[in-house]
Amino acid sequence: MRETDTAAKDIERIAKAIRAGDRAALARAITLIESAKLEDQIRAEGLLERLLPYTGKSIRVGISGVPGGGKSTLIDQLGLNLIGEGHKVAVLAVDPTSSRSGGSILGDKTRMGRLAADPQAFIRPSPAGDSLGGVTKTTRETVALAEAAGYDVVLIETVGVGQSETAVANMVDVFVVVAIPGAGDELQGIKRGLLELADIIAVNKAEGDQVERANRAAMDYRTALHILATGHSNWDPQVLTLSARDNRGLDALWTKITERHAALAASGALDARRSDQAASWMREIFEQRLLAAFKGGKRAARHFQELENKVRAGQMTPAAAAAELGRLAGIKDAD
Ligand SMILES: Nc1nc2c(ncn2[C@@H]2O[C@H](COP(=O)(O)OP(=O)(O)OP(=O)(O)O)[C@@H](O)[C@H]2O)c(=O)[nH]1
Ligand SMILES: [Mg+2]
């Protein structure tokens, strides 16, 4: 009884500090979220629940694109511009490939050096979890905490070469893809799947003798988008050119982002989208837990490999093996 009282007071204290904009408290809370320890997870859940009413009030923007396209440089400059207009900016960098010892994280800190030094900004790398789901969970929860701390713009950087961009697209309001001028007229390594997620394509490094190429690339992207006829209701994906390095075209980019956000909000689609995201988040977490509990069970774990081998060898159909695993886990067959 006394112990739960202390725990509740502890959560109350952290929640208050976060709401008051205490950056150290925010950083510690994110560490709780990232922790694999059960006791930390319980505290993190209590904290998130306590702060839930104060979340959801930011513009959430995903920034993806080719490696080296200038995403971090863009975020650094855009973040500074927005702070200049009175915003508070949180930046999360998701890199599911960086189980290497934080090399890219260090790189990001230096590429966003000016923003990192600004008291109105909060930059946090989202660590590589052992699963994409892990990355998603911590990133989403970090967004919630940052919002509760009063950050009204949340920018999430992710490389556009894995699955992380889909995960990020599913947790933001507006998704920006950063491209670069092509050497020829081919689209620079941007996957079709990434184009389909884009609300806005920003062709970066459009300065000096690259302006002409950047304009041509922008035309190509417009054509590609037209052919793909990407299915956003009430919004045709926009293509623009800019130079993050020279701070050119960034105001136009922000205008497009806010226009997209406003259009979503006005039509009610923003609320619907966020509700859907929250519901699918719940499903995702539940499925992960179910799977973890299942794999942790001795009987199922023993048979899992055995059945997988049979499926691989063509001795059993995948459906039959899955049904058998279900029975081992105590799941009744559908009738
Ligand atoms: N000329 C020019 N160079 C730029 C511009 N923006 C970024 N760069 C350079 O491009 C390189 C990559 O920039 P980053 O901002 O690290 O790119 P990124 O997309 O975050 O890279 P990763 O996170 O490694 O995928 C750096 O050398 C930047 O200085 C720009 O507008 N013009
Ligand atoms: Mg980067």
Side-chain angles (χ1 to χ4, degrees), residues 76-146:
D76 188 52
Q77 186 61 60
L78 180 64
L80 287 175
N81 296 353
L82 291 171
I83 286 170
E85 290 172 16
H87 293 284
K88 275 182 77 179
V89 180
V91 178
L92 311 178
V94 176
D95 183 0
T97 60
S98 74
S99 28
R100 52 195 155 122
S101 58
S104 65
I105 287 163
L106 256 183
D108 277 339
K109 278 258 159 158
T110 48
R111 293 223 172 107
M112 300 189 228
R114 292 177 302 166
L115 194 59
D118 197 298
Q120 296 304 308
F122 182 84
I123 299 185
R124 180 84 177 197
S126 256
D130 41 15
S131 70
L132 188 65
V135 172
T136 313
K137 181 176 180 297
T138 53
T139 308
R140 283 185 189 219
E141 292 176 351
T142 303
V143 170
L145 288 182

Side-chain angles (χ1 to χ4, degrees), residues 9-24:
K9 278 206 186 111
D10 177 44
I11 283 173
E12 192 54 41
R13 190 178 47 76
I14 306 174
K16 277 222 176 89
I18 289 173
R19 292 262 295 132
D22 179 338
R23 297 158 55 99

Side-chain angles (χ1 to χ4, degrees), residues 66-73 111 157 159 204-205 207 243-245:
V66 289
K71 302 179 292 295
S72 301
T73 309
R111 293 223 172 107
E157 173 177 346
V159 285
N204 189 30
K205 310 194 184 186
E207 78 264 314
S243 169
R245 193 194 67 187

